[in-house]
Amino acid sequence: MTTPTAKPAVQTPPPSGRFRLPDIPERDPDEVTQFDRLFKTGNAHYLALHLGSSETTLVEADRWIVPDASFNKRRARYPDLLVSFDTSPEDYAASNGYIVSEQGKPPDFVLEVASPSTAQRDLNEKRDFYESIGVLEYWLFDATGEYYRTRLAGFRLADGAYVPIDVADLPGGDLQGYSAALNLNLRSAGEELEFCDPETGRRITTIEDERARADAAENRADAAENRADAAEARVRELEAELRNLRDPSA
């Protein structure tokens, strides 16, 4: 008895006929670290809002980066976070990924988050790949420091090769480095990654910040309503006192 051989999946070209990258492979379960550090907290969403110019700025993840349209898995990687300025989000969406030759430039910033199954590739193959295609900055974040041997590291392209970005020790054990590509500080605060304004030192808006603002606004509204109720009750008391003065027998 012969077992039928499954035919390889064929990617159907889009109606436009343009080249379109395949979807990335299904992620390993341990790669949930990416979701926890970048998306669960709203980091990626609020970074996009902070950087603005959504028509020309990409803040994306989980799609291939390739040098050109000749897709080869050995010449492609998919990052946990990508930022690129002066690019075409429409072309990125239509191509299902970042094609350097199509965009006319490599990404400005790439970040990888440590996980047991990807750490060695992040430190070696991915670093070499991003360097080879000209990604301006490459950052690594590890919540515990177990897999990268540090919780925060960054590299910046200089004369075609990556050189380390200075990462400072902050009081309390936090680490911080400056991303010239984003004009933001990256901070490893406890086991969280924060993007911070270098002038104020404050992190950019997060989901927690928005919730705190909403709670504060609700508290202010409740307090104002209570003051209004108290003022109305006092007016009624004064009106009653005035009536008694005018007509004590009432």
Side-chain angles (χ1 to χ4, degrees):
M1 177 177 167
T2 303
T3 303
T5 302
K7 293 183 179 180
V10 177
Q11 186 181 6
T12 303
S16 63
R18 70 177 294 153
F19 173 77
R20 183 172 170 84
L21 291 162
D23 293 335
I24 65 169
E26 185 176 346
R27 282 184 172 270
D28 290 331
D30 72 2
E31 293 184 70
V32 72
T33 52
Q34 176 215 31
F35 173 80
D36 288 342
R37 307 306 172 190
L38 296 176
F39 302 102
K40 186 176 180 180
T41 61
N43 258 344
H45 172 71
Y46 287 108
L47 177 62
L49 292 181
H50 177 83
L51 296 175
S53 304
S54 60
E55 293 181 356
T56 58
T57 300
L58 272 172
V59 180
E60 286 287 348
D62 284 346
R63 292 187 188 182
W64 295 104
I65 301 176
V66 297
D68 50 53
S70 56
F71 178 71
N72 181 334
K73 279 189 177 182
R74 289 177 296 180
R75 299 178 65 233
R77 295 293 184 272
Y78 48 93
D80 290 331
L81 185 66
L82 170 156
V83 177
S84 189
F85 301 100
D86 301 318
T87 47
S88 171
E90 289 185 0
D91 286 340
Y92 178 85
S95 298
N96 197 36
Y98 197 104
I99 302 175
V100 175
S101 61
E102 178 180 77
Q103 295 287 354
K105 62 185 287 291
D108 296 278
F109 175 99
V110 162
L111 172 76
E112 297 289 358
V113 178
S115 69
S117 63
T118 66
Q120 287 306 308
R121 291 198 301 272
D122 296 345
L123 292 167
N124 297 289
E125 292 98 323
K126 283 190 175 183
R127 182 186 186 280
D128 294 344
F129 173 75
Y130 296 139
E131 181 182 71
S132 72
I133 65 170
V135 174
L136 186 59
E137 286 186 1
Y138 177 43
W139 286 83
L140 298 160
F141 174 72
D142 184 345
T144 64
E146 178 181 359
Y147 305 108
Y148 292 155
R149 299 181 297 279
T150 181
R151 289 183 288 119
L152 183 67
F155 302 90
R156 186 171 178 84
L157 204 64
D159 297 325
Y162 277 145
V163 295
I165 294 173
D166 289 337
V167 174
D169 293 309
L170 300 181
D174 293 345
L175 300 176
Q176 180 171 281
Y178 174 67
S179 166
L182 303 183
N183 189 28
L184 289 171
N185 286 327
L186 271 69
R187 183 181 299 163
S188 171
E191 294 191 359
E192 299 300 325
L193 175 65
E194 297 179 354
F195 294 94
C196 302
D197 187 320
E199 293 186 4
T200 65
R202 297 176 181 174
R203 66 180 182 178
I204 63 174
T205 300
T206 64
I207 290 175
E208 288 77 10
D209 295 331
E210 293 293 346
R211 286 173 178 164
R213 288 194 183 98
D215 289 343
E218 185 176 355
N219 290 337
R220 288 195 298 270
D222 290 342
E225 184 177 355
N226 291 336
R227 288 195 298 270
D229 290 343
E232 185 177 351
R234 181 56 181 157
V235 168
R236 289 196 296 269
E237 290 176 4
L238 292 174
E239 289 176 342
E241 290 177 7
L242 182 60
R243 285 195 298 272
N244 288 335
L245 290 174
R246 289 175 176 173
D247 186 3
S249 62

